Amino acid sequence: MLYFPRIRSLRESHDKTQKEICEYLFCDQSLYSKYERGLRIVPVEIIMKLAQYYETTTDYILGLTEEDVQE
């Protein structure tokens, strides 16, 4: 599984806008939109911050597991 649909799914399931996530990540909304559409590779640091924000694991974001909650 590709990871970019998962970061969009996480955002939507938490009822967050791209703008809210961009404020947390300190990035431009057009850049984040490209992450969600798979047009740009998401840096490891961003994946780690998203995992912390959503209280999940980087493995879940990367599609390596279906478990979406940190233990």
Side-chain angles (χ1 to χ4, degrees):
M1 173 181 193
L2 298 173
Y3 62 86
F4 57 89
R6 195 154 272 182
I7 62 173
R8 180 178 180 171
S9 174
L10 279 166
R11 179 179 57 78
E12 290 175 344
S13 68
H14 285 81
D15 294 322
K16 298 295 180 183
T17 64
Q18 285 186 349
K19 183 179 178 182
E20 290 172 306
I21 301 304
C22 293
E23 288 172 0
Y24 172 75
L25 296 174
F26 300 105
C27 75
D28 187 69
Q29 187 172 351
S30 65
L31 175 61
Y32 185 78
S33 175
K34 289 176 184 174
Y35 293 157
E36 283 194 356
R37 292 181 290 144
L39 300 176
R40 292 283 304 260
I41 295 173
V42 182
V44 173
E45 297 83 10
I46 298 294
I47 293 172
M48 291 170 57
K49 287 182 86 169
L50 289 171
Q52 289 176 328
Y53 184 80
Y54 295 121
E55 297 181 350
T56 190
T57 64
T58 55
D59 282 355
Y60 178 75
I61 292 174
L62 295 171
L64 300 174
T65 184
E66 295 301 313
E67 300 288 326
D68 69 345
V69 179
Q70 289 182 348
E71 294 182 20

